């Protein structure tokens, strides 16, 4: 058995010497003088702060920030805020163990703040520390989220003006739409298509890590996660420049904006996990439409949409299309399923189905009376193509 320390143990050992660790390949991004100054500032904070800046590479030692922070915390054995890079780009993320979420709110606020887009790494860490010191991290996160919403509303109005449409349906998220995301440790902007890595615009699509997190989340955690994803999609809509030079591009942009509005509306009225899963379905449809709009505007073909798993959208991508006959029915349906559910169906086993709570008992979501569930009526958009329109016209039933 090897006596060599693991990568996590090596990072923990380094953090025992200094609360800031920077991989040698990234040393120039945070000079020693900045590290010394930041360490002094971190010591004024009410919780220990550990900065771990290492490359995050899919298939490498560290593939995402959640994994990195969790492993290093376990090896170091000290609670506090662990600040790392996001799993793509150089956005900063914070995961807290035993904290009050100030670090998470601060990191997200800095990530959303346009004025910090080109700021040096030291300046962004300074800003995170300042927000934690002030106790206003949550307030700033909410402010930046509201700005994203405002820009998305303005963009929708501009799209309506260019297309000659009406802006009677305002893009509004309500209180839930700007709720803070925290517990789930969401990973933003990661490419999610296993079978479509080369698709144009794939960086616009819903991150696959959303689903690995969502499957394990409680209802409260999932609500926070979907809240953050709605805000993130609003930011993406606002920051993605798609010239609407043709009718089809305009239609696709309208579809993306409608899906965004439907997701916010669903989030505001969500009464349980089936509704929160619906938020992710709507966001997935919106991101598919946005990616197609960008591809068409660039002179390429539309990107075929890739739905989420029919049996449980929280499983993520539906890699396989299957024929499935519900128990007690002669009707055979052609639906898209994740690999595990498709495998179970082929083996005549019961897939891992999303359950809905009705009349005090759990039932498969698609067995709910369709008049009482837009998800049962549409199969989360797989049985009917008008899910977004149904949500916008009010088919989502209240609590």
């Amino acid at each position: 058995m090897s006596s060599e320390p693991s990568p996590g143990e090596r990072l923990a050992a380094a953090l025992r010497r200094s609360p800031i660790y920077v991989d040698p390949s990234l040393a120039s991004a945070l000079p020693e003088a900045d590290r010394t100054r930041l360490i002094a500032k971190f010591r004024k904070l009410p919780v220990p702060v550990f900065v771990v800046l290492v490359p995050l590479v899919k298939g490498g030692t560290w593939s995402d920030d959640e994994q990195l922070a969790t492993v290093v915390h376990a090896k170091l054995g000290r609670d506090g805020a662990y600040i790392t890079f996001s799993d793509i780009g150089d956005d900063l993320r914070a995961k807290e163990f035993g904290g009050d979420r100030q670090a998470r709110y601060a990191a997200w606020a800095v990530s959303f703040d346009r004025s910090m887009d080109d700021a040096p790494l030291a300046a962004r860490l300074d800003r995170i520390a300042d927000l934690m010191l002030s106790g206003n991290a949550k307030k700033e996160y909410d402010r930046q989220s509201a700005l994203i919403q405002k820009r998305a509303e303005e963009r929708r109005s501009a799209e309506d003006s260019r297309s000659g449409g009406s802006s009677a349906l305002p893009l509004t998220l309500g209180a839930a739409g700007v709720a803070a995301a925290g517990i789930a440790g969401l990973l933003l902007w990661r490419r999610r298509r296993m079978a479509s890595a080369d698709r144009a615009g794939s960086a616009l699509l819903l991150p696959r890590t959303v689903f690995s997190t969502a499957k394990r989340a409680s209802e409260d955690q999932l609500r926070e996660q979907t809240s953050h994803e709605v805000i993130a999609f609003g930011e993406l809509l606002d920051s993605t420049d798609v010239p609407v030079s043709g009718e089809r591009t305009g239609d696709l942009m309208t579809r993306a904006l409608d899906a965004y509005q439907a997701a916010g509306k669903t989030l505001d009225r969500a009464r349980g996990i089936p509704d929160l899963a619906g938020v992710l379905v709507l966001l997935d449809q919106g991101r598919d439409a946005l990616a197609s709009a960008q591809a068409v505007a660039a002179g390429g073909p539309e990107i075929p949409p890739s739905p989420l798993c029919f049996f449980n959208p929280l499983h993520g991508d539906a890699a396989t299309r299957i024929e499935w006959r519900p128990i007690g029915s002669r009707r055979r349906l052609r639906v898209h399923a994740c690999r595990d559910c498709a495998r179970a169906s082929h083996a005549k086993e019961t897939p891992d189905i999303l359950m809905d709570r009705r009349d005090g008992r759990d039932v498969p979501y698609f067995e709910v009376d369709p008049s009482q569930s837009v998800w049962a009526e549409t199969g989360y958009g797989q049985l009917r193509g008008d899910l977004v329109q149904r949500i916008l016209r009010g088919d989502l039933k209240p609590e």
Side-chain angles (χ1 to χ4, degrees):
M1 181 179 294
S2 174
S3 60
E4 285 293 315
S6 68
E9 290 168 338
R10 286 196 291 270
L11 289 177
L15 291 174
R16 291 188 183 99
R17 296 189 294 270
S18 169
I20 295 180
Y21 175 82
V22 183
D23 187 85
S25 65
L26 305 171
S28 61
L30 193 67
E32 281 294 339
D34 287 326
R35 297 183 207 184
T36 301
R37 179 177 52 78
L38 285 166
I39 289 171
K41 179 175 283 191
F42 290 155
R43 286 179 179 146
K44 300 176 184 178
L45 296 173
V47 297
V49 174
F50 303 99
V51 178
V52 189
L53 302 178
V54 300
L56 301 179
V57 181
K58 186 176 180 180
T61 302
W62 308 109
S63 59
D64 61 59
D65 48 285
E66 183 85 4
Q67 173 212 18
L68 172 61
T70 300
V71 170
V72 173
H73 167 255
K75 298 299 183 183
L76 184 59
R78 291 190 62 189
D79 286 350
Y82 288 73
I83 299 175
T84 69
F85 284 127
S86 163
D87 66 331
I88 72 167
D90 64 351
D91 275 353
L92 294 171
R93 295 286 178 264
K95 183 173 177 63
E96 291 179 87
F97 300 89
D100 58 3
R101 302 191 195 175
Q102 283 290 314
R104 285 196 171 194
Y105 289 132
W108 273 323
V110 171
S111 175
F112 286 160
D113 188 348
R114 282 189 160 186
S115 69
M116 301 298 293
D117 283 354
D118 298 318
L121 180 57
R124 285 179 285 142
L125 287 167
D126 259 321
R127 179 62 174 154
I128 290 173
D130 287 341
L131 287 171
M132 292 176 67
L133 276 169
S134 69
N136 292 326
K138 171 68 163 57
K139 183 177 180 180
E140 178 62 12
Y141 173 85
D142 287 344
R143 189 179 77 85
Q144 292 297 333
S145 299
L147 289 174
I148 292 170
Q149 180 183 348
K150 180 181 178 181
R151 291 196 296 266
E153 290 171 349
E154 292 171 349
R155 188 181 184 92
R156 173 58 184 266
S157 296
E159 295 292 346
D160 283 342
S161 298
R162 283 197 291 268
S163 63
S166 169
S167 59
L169 290 174
L171 283 171
T172 176
L173 301 184
V178 295
I183 298 174
L186 197 58
L187 308 174
L188 297 179
W189 314 131
R190 192 178 195 182
R191 296 188 178 193
R192 75 172 178 85
R193 305 299 194 192
M194 289 180 293
S196 309
D198 295 330
R199 287 171 43 175
S202 61
L204 303 181
L205 302 177
L206 199 61
R208 287 184 60 214
T209 46
V210 169
F211 302 104
S212 63
T213 305
K215 286 188 294 185
R216 302 188 301 269
S218 68
E219 181 178 334
D220 287 343
Q221 290 172 332
L222 185 58
R223 189 177 297 274
E224 294 189 20
Q225 180 174 341
T226 53
S227 297
H228 189 76
E229 275 302 311
V230 170
I231 293 169
F233 186 39
E235 174 72 0
L236 183 59
L237 282 169
D238 182 62
S239 62
T240 303
D241 186 17
V242 180
V244 183
S245 55
E247 181 178 353
R248 186 55 184 160
T249 309
D251 288 345
L252 288 165
M253 282 302 301
T254 297
R255 184 185 302 176
L257 290 160
D258 283 348
Y260 169 59
Q261 181 185 2
K265 186 173 183 178
T266 300
L267 179 61
D268 284 342
R269 302 179 67 185
R271 64 172 181 81
I273 287 178
D275 290 343
L276 296 172
V279 175
L280 292 180
V281 169
L282 293 162
L283 292 173
D284 189 67
Q285 290 189 5
R287 285 181 180 255
D288 278 341
L290 179 58
S292 273
Q294 189 177 60
V296 171
E302 289 186 34
I303 299 173
S306 178
L308 306 181
C309 180
F310 169 81
F311 297 101
N312 186 340
L314 300 183
H315 292 168
D317 290 322
T320 307
R321 191 176 186 187
I322 63 172
E323 283 196 357
W324 176 71
R325 181 170 63 83
I327 296 174
S329 172
R330 294 184 177 181
R331 183 187 179 195
R332 299 190 71 84
L333 304 176
R334 291 188 64 82
V335 298
H336 295 264
C338 69
R339 286 190 173 90
D340 287 344
C341 286
R343 195 175 296 119
S345 177
H346 288 315
K348 309 300 182 185
E349 298 172 353
T350 302
D352 178 19
I353 296 169
L354 178 63
M355 307 299 280
D356 197 350
R357 189 75 174 172
R358 299 284 168 152
D359 299 323
R361 65 190 185 93
D362 290 330
V363 297
Y365 83 86
F366 45 72
E367 291 185 4
V368 176
D369 182 350
S371 68
Q372 298 299 313
S373 170
V374 70
W375 317 123
E377 172 70 13
T378 66
Y380 283 105
Q382 289 204 36
L383 306 181
R384 303 183 64 101
D386 59 350
L387 175 60
V388 169
Q389 289 71 30
R390 285 172 175 269
I391 296 294
L392 293 179
R393 78 186 187 193
D395 282 12
L396 183 67
K397 300 300 178 183
E399 296 187 39

